[in-house]
Amino acid sequence: MTNSYKNYTVLDDMVLIEVDLEERVSKGGIIIAGADLDRRETGKETGIVRAIGTYAFKEMEAPAPQIGDRVLFKRYSGVEVNKKSDGNPWYRVMNDKDIYLIIRDTE
């Protein structure tokens, strides 16, 4: 596991997540990108694990998420690192205990 991703280094039991943002379509057919939605409107609680702190998931007995896993996490957990804009991903750093499950693709 690595605790660094791009220019971010995650500390202790924290995890860096690249948040999945959903696009919405207005009644007139205009696509509203996730970057233009308010945090409460995005409501997406899934993302990809990008970095894991040194002590994250140490107390967990079940399989722990790995770098690149898609996970479900607690809504409004953690801190926004940067909000998606100009094609840049939106990241949140959160406590390892705010991650509830690993989402596996069955296809």
Side-chain angles (χ1 to χ4, degrees):
M1 285 193 262
T2 180
N3 66 341
S4 295
Y5 181 74
K6 295 190 178 183
N7 58 333
Y8 304 115
T9 300
V10 182
L11 306 175
D12 297 326
D13 59 351
M14 304 305 279
V15 180
L16 180 70
I17 304 289
E18 182 178 328
V19 178
D20 292 334
L21 293 178
E22 58 187 49
E23 292 182 338
R24 301 239 174 112
V25 179
S26 71
K27 292 179 182 179
I30 298 171
I31 296 175
I32 303 169
D36 296 328
L37 296 173
D38 184 273
R39 178 178 178 177
R40 292 177 305 275
E41 293 179 296
T42 58
K44 200 74 165 161
E45 298 102 3
T46 61
I48 299 172
V49 176
R50 293 298 183 198
I52 299 173
T54 306
Y55 301 108
F57 307 113
K58 294 294 182 192
E59 298 175 8
M60 185 178 286
E61 294 180 21
Q66 302 296 315
I67 303 294
D69 283 347
R70 184 170 306 284
V71 294
L72 175 75
F73 52 85
K74 182 194 259 184
R75 181 181 273 201
Y76 307 121
S77 64
V79 176
E80 295 175 7
V81 177
N82 69 325
K83 196 161 186 173
K84 183 176 176 155
S85 63
D86 300 326
N88 295 320
W90 177 18
Y91 298 104
R92 285 168 60 186
V93 63
M94 64 187 66
N95 190 288
D96 61 348
K97 292 180 179 38
D98 289 335
I99 296 174
Y100 294 135
L101 58 90
I102 301 169
I103 301 169
R104 304 271 189 231
D105 290 329
T106 56
E107 299 174 15

